[in-house]
Each structure stands twice: as C-alpha cells, then as structure tokens.
Amino acid sequence: MKKFLVALASLFFVANVQAADLTEGKQYIALNTERAVQPEVIEFFSFYCPHCYAFEMDYHIPEKVKSALPEGTKFKQYHVNFLGFQSENLTRAWALAMALGVEEKVKAPLFEAAQTAVKNRDQSAPSLDAIRQIFIDSGVSAEQFDGGINSFAVTGLYNQQVQAAERFDVHGVPDFYVNGKYRVNPEGLSHSEAGFIQDYVETVKALLQK
C-alpha cells in the first residue's frame, strides 16, 4: 500500500489542503453532473480491491473522512460490480447491511473473505452461503438474512449503488465523490503516507465548501 500511495502521488506534491488552495485537475476533477440536493460524500469500493482494503482497514481513510464531515453531510459507501466474480452478490449483501444498519459489523469479515478469494484465485468465493454465514456470525439472524437478501428494499439499495456507479462512470476504486460534482484526485495529493491521508480528508472538506 505504501508503494501504491507513492505511485498515486508521485506526479504532484501539495501541502495540507485548504479551501482556497484547491486547483481543478490537481486535487480534484470537476464533473459534468448535477449537484446533489443535500451535502454528501460517496465512496465507491470493492471488497475484492486490495487498495480499498488498505484504505479501510489499514489507513482508515473512510472513517477519518466521515468523522471530519460537517453536521448534516451524508457519507455513503457503495460497492461496485466490476471486480470479482461474486461482486453482484457482495453488492447485494452490502445493500442488506445498509438496510439492517450492520455495515460496521460485516465490513471486515466481508473484506477478509473477498481478499482470501483473490489470493487463492477462487472465482466462486465468497459464495452466497459464505456471505450468509458472515452475517449470521455478525449477529444477523438467519431469518433476517433469508427474508431480506432479495427483498424489495434491498433490491432498491442494490440498484441505487449500481446506478450511482454508472452515473459517475466509475472505473476504478477506491473513488470518492463530493456533492455529486467533484471527484477527489489522489494523484494530486501529498506523496508521504501521513500527508496523503490528511490531504484526502482536507480535500473532501474543502470540496464541500465549493
């Protein structure tokens, strides 16, 4: 991950980001999309993505971003379908987690299961049965899982994730979008590990003010 951060940021160096310091094409990319009605930050990720794992489990960037957001700003994490053979099941499972409010309980074991599948080159993993067991081990009843995984509400949340990824034309993860108008550009952030993390948080905060 350290090599990944250095590679991402090697083209540019900036000090800790302030609102007035933002430069389009450097710390962020402006999108030809409609602005969100309410302030929001969306992270697109995949449980199969090793960089997403590092962002979440090692560097805690989503957590740091979320904790730094102004009151009233929504933070959403959407799973994508374009990585891994079981991505659609994982996107639906994440929709169920959102519906039940158990994201923080199932996130780590889902990451571990998917990362293990990547290391073992197991295209069938994690299976829906394995995902079901992860939910049960995390405190969700079998009835809740079985009754919810294909429910109308969960299907709606599944479609919401897929449609959002299509709307922003997401092709790589992790990827952060602010107010539906701006994409954080990691290549324009500090090349040091601590600086990169801080710049990421400060860039998101600054973009919310634009």
Side-chain angles (χ1 to χ4, degrees):
M1 182 59 186
K2 291 180 180 178
K3 291 181 180 179
F4 165 68
L5 294 179
V6 171
L8 281 180
S10 60
L11 298 179
F12 300 97
F13 174 80
V14 294
N16 292 335
V17 180
Q18 303 296 323
D21 296 332
L22 291 180
T23 301
E24 183 178 350
K26 199 170 187 180
Q27 299 101 325
Y28 74 97
I29 298 170
L31 308 173
N32 186 25
T33 51
E34 292 186 10
R35 189 180 187 87
V37 176
Q38 299 294 328
E40 68 174 23
V41 177
I42 300 176
E43 179 204 3
F44 292 93
F45 77 102
S46 170
F47 288 114
Y48 284 112
C49 166
H51 300 320
C52 298
Y53 179 93
F55 257 53
E56 182 73 49
M57 308 303 295
D58 297 331
Y59 296 95
H60 309 290
I61 291 176
E63 177 186 337
K64 293 178 187 297
V65 167
K66 184 178 180 179
S67 64
L69 296 179
E71 185 176 354
T73 303
K74 293 184 178 180
F75 180 73
K76 304 173 182 177
Q77 289 182 295
Y78 287 168
H79 195 265
V80 298
N81 277 353
F82 54 73
L83 286 178
F85 285 87
Q86 303 303 318
S87 279
E88 291 185 10
N89 281 339
L90 285 166
T91 301
R92 182 166 288 276
W94 189 243
L96 177 60
M98 289 193 288
L100 296 177
V102 296
E103 298 100 310
E104 297 307 315
K105 293 182 178 180
V106 301
K107 184 184 296 180
L110 286 175
F111 260 123
E112 295 295 343
Q115 291 299 304
T116 298
V118 171
K119 292 175 184 177
N120 294 336
R121 299 183 179 182
D122 185 353
Q123 297 178 359
S124 66
S127 67
L128 190 58
D129 284 342
I131 293 170
R132 180 179 185 270
Q133 190 60 51
I134 286 172
F135 273 75
I136 292 173
D137 292 343
S138 300
V140 175
S141 70
E143 291 75 17
Q144 283 179 303
F145 185 92
D146 295 338
I149 191 66
N150 291 308
S151 67
F152 179 80
V154 167
T155 297
L157 288 170
Y158 172 90
N159 291 333
Q160 186 173 307
Q161 295 175 88
V162 172
Q163 291 165 7
E166 291 175 350
R167 182 169 71 253
F168 292 118
D169 195 26
V170 178
H171 291 294
V173 286
D175 217 9
F176 280 70
Y177 293 80
V178 180
N179 285 345
K181 290 295 296 181
Y182 309 108
R183 173 185 173 267
V184 176
N185 180 28
E187 294 176 354
L189 307 184
S190 171
H191 64 263
S192 73
E193 181 180 307
F196 180 87
I197 295 170
Q198 185 170 355
D199 279 0
Y200 218 107
V201 174
E202 294 301 324
T203 297
V204 170
K205 289 169 60 180
L207 288 172
L208 285 166
Q209 300 172 23
K210 287 181 67 67

